[in-house]
């Protein structure tokens, strides 16, 4: 895929196509006959799994099972850039 995105399979989300770039990934689903759209929200990846963003003890963190990564302002900004760029690419 273009712009540094690579296809990736997320077994728990078998009905969607995963795309990943760096530390972030998104799930894509069909949107009509010739387009794709993002399903849900793009995510941080821990190992090879999609982590969710939550608040714990007043701090934003990304979580996958027992693994936790602090959602620093830098990571959140990078996630926003990932999401915005992917959205623009899909709208073409």
């Amino acid at each position: 895929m273009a712009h540094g995105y690579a296809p990736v399979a997320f077994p728990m989300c078998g009905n969607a196509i995963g795309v990943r770039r760096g530390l972030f990934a998104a799930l894509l689903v069909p949107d009509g006959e010739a387009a794709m759209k993002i399903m849900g929200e793009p995510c941080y990846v821990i190992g090879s799994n999609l982590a969710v963003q939550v608040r714990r003890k007043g701090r934003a963190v990304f979580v996958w099972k027992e693994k936790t990564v602090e959602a620093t302002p830098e990571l959140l900004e990078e996630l926003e850039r990932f999401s915005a760029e992917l959205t623009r690419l899909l709208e073409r």
Side-chain angles (χ1 to χ4, degrees), residues 56-77:
R56 288 201 175 153
K57 298 181 183 177
R59 295 178 23 228
V61 294
F62 297 109
V63 177
W64 168 254
K65 294 193 177 186
E66 66 280 343
K67 297 180 182 175
T68 302
V69 173
E70 184 175 353
T72 64
E74 296 81 14
L75 281 178
L76 293 173
E77 185 178 311

Side-chain angles (χ1 to χ4, degrees), residues 3 5 19-21 23-28 36-44 53 62 75-91:
H3 301 277
Y5 293 90
V19 291
R20 181 174 180 173
R21 184 177 72 190
L23 300 172
F24 304 99
L27 298 171
L28 305 179
M36 302 293 282
K37 67 179 178 179
I38 299 172
M39 181 177 85
E41 297 290 325
C43 302
Y44 183 80
Q53 184 181 342
F62 297 109
L75 281 178
L76 293 173
E77 185 178 311
E78 195 175 334
L79 176 58
E80 178 57 36
R81 279 194 307 269
F82 172 91
S83 179
E85 183 177 317
L86 183 56
T87 297
R88 279 192 306 272
L89 289 171
L90 292 171
E91 289 173 349

